[in-house]
Amino acid sequence: VRHRSFLSKGFTLVELLIVVVVLGILAGIVLPAFNSSTDDAKSSAAQQNLAAIRSAVDLYKVQHSDTFPGYPVGGGTPTDTLFVDQLSKVTKKDGTSAALGTAGYPFGPYLKTGIPANPFNNLSTIQIIADGAAMPTSGDDSHGWVYKPQTGELKCDSSATTSDGKAIYGM
């Protein structure tokens, strides 16, 4: 019977296979826990971003004669570009926007760093829902956010669900 001496180095193939199998089992146990915590963090970030944008929309409305952001001066069809400009630049009471520091523009900016990204798809784009049209019933991940200027309703455009099964779009 041959015995390995104290000076022999290395591992046998069986020893290596056992280590690989044990590491595989540990990874199978640990990775789902990390996945769940990542989804929970994204959900929490989405809720915080929604709260920040919704607060900005509400403050804009209060300071601009009960008009939600997105509408052009004098009325008309709201656009995503106007929405972003009116929340991230300084504005006049009529909704005209200008660069930060422009004299005669006393309001804003409401979001200092622009529209935050949706943590589920990393998009910060806005899908504008036309006046009179219904809000979509679910998210499709095509934009960061879905916004209806007529009502001020804002949702996270995501088809994902929380760890307890609730639709992110419904937050």
Side-chain angles (χ1 to χ4, degrees):
V1 174
R2 270 178 73 183
H3 295 285
R4 286 178 27 185
S5 73
F6 177 73
L7 297 174
S8 67
K9 296 181 180 178
F11 296 101
T12 66
L13 183 59
V14 172
E15 290 170 330
L16 288 174
L17 287 174
I18 289 171
V19 169
V20 168
V21 167
V22 168
L23 289 174
I25 291 170
L26 288 173
I29 293 169
V30 171
L31 285 180
F34 282 126
N35 249 357
S36 176
S37 64
T38 300
D39 290 344
D40 290 345
K42 285 181 181 179
S43 177
S44 177
Q47 288 175 337
Q48 290 174 350
N49 289 348
L50 269 172
I53 302 170
R54 286 174 176 159
S55 291
V57 165
D58 290 342
L59 182 55
Y60 180 95
K61 180 184 178 212
V62 167
Q63 293 181 338
H64 293 84
S65 305
D66 283 339
T67 301
F68 285 108
Y71 287 100
V73 175
T77 304
T79 68
D80 57 335
T81 303
L82 285 171
F83 177 82
V84 172
D85 284 351
Q86 290 169 341
L87 291 183
S88 61
K89 295 181 177 180
V90 291
T91 59
K92 288 183 178 180
K93 185 99 172 145
D94 67 0
T96 304
S97 62
L100 187 62
T102 304
Y105 290 77
F107 304 113
Y110 302 93
L111 296 171
K112 299 208 186 304
T113 58
I115 306 299
N118 171 340
F120 289 95
N121 60 22
N122 293 317
L123 298 173
S124 58
T125 55
I126 307 291
Q127 177 184 2
I128 299 290
I129 305 302
D131 290 354
M135 279 292 272
T137 56
S138 62
D140 64 7
D141 297 300
S142 63
H143 294 82
W145 312 99
V146 179
Y147 173 64
K148 185 171 176 80
Q150 186 177 24
T151 62
E153 189 174 4
L154 180 77
K155 295 188 178 238
C156 181
D157 188 6
S158 177
S159 58
T161 56
T162 62
S163 58
D164 59 356
K166 295 179 183 172
I168 297 298
Y169 185 76
M171 290 194 300

